[in-house]
Amino acid sequence: MKHQATVMVVDDDPLNLSLMEDMLTPEGYHVTLYDSGETCLEAVRNHAPDVILMDAMMPDLDGFQVVRRLKADDATRLIPVVMVTSLSNMTDRVEAMDAGADDFLSKPVAKIELLARVRSLVKLKPLMIGWLKAKNATVK
């Protein structure tokens, strides 16, 4: 049986959550929705998704802070994170990548681009985990 990839969507706007869910669910992804960075961090501790789509601008913990925390933790650092935001200047993109984001999408998100990025990152994650395990095995 094929693994159904889980995509976690984190955004403080219910409309954006609904739009992402409507784009991803028909493509066979299991979608989990969270409305804050804090709830995302709590959920990741219990069940790590295959990919996280993270809004940059949220109250309390913004997406940049959440990504930094995820990438600083050995248990979550290999989860691919795509920043999805209305911020679109080069400085914002650089900040997202410096925080540890694996990719960046500007709102409004084109469905075809979103699905291509998610599909690519879902395929890449097991390869990265396998590479890291092999690397660690040879270092010992």
Side-chain angles (χ1 to χ4, degrees):
M1 185 172 161
K2 187 177 175 183
H3 167 73
Q4 182 183 23
T6 299
V7 179
M8 177 183 283
V9 182
V10 186
D11 197 309
D12 61 321
D13 184 338
L15 180 59
N16 289 333
L17 291 172
S18 179
L19 288 171
M20 294 287 193
E21 184 176 36
D22 290 348
M23 285 189 245
L24 294 162
T25 302
E27 300 300 318
Y29 295 105
H30 173 70
V31 180
T32 58
L33 306 174
Y34 297 91
D35 63 1
S36 73
E38 203 59 56
T39 59
C40 162
L41 290 171
E42 290 172 23
V44 167
R45 284 185 215 115
N46 297 321
H47 182 72
D50 294 291
V51 175
I52 299 174
L53 303 174
M54 175 77 60
D55 183 27
M57 305 308 294
M58 295 183 289
D60 300 324
L61 279 179
D62 66 32
F64 302 107
Q65 294 169 309
V66 175
V67 172
R68 283 186 190 93
R69 288 187 188 184
L70 290 168
K71 297 302 181 172
D73 185 339
D74 284 342
T76 57
R77 69 185 169 113
L78 292 179
I79 301 170
V81 179
V82 178
M83 296 295 282
V84 183
T85 181
S86 56
L87 301 173
S88 60
N89 69 45
M90 187 57 70
T91 305
D92 298 321
R93 289 178 181 270
V94 170
E95 183 179 356
M97 296 306 191
D98 284 347
D102 298 282
D103 211 338
F104 188 99
L105 287 171
S106 295
K107 292 177 184 174
V109 175
K111 180 179 180 178
I112 192 166
E113 185 178 18
L114 173 72
L115 294 175
R117 304 264 175 109
V118 169
R119 199 170 32 251
S120 174
L121 290 169
V122 165
K123 288 179 191 173
L124 185 61
K125 183 184 173 195
L127 297 174
M128 288 299 298
I129 291 170
W131 173 82
L132 186 62
K133 286 179 181 178
K135 179 182 171 194
N136 288 339
T138 59
V139 171
K140 294 177 183 177

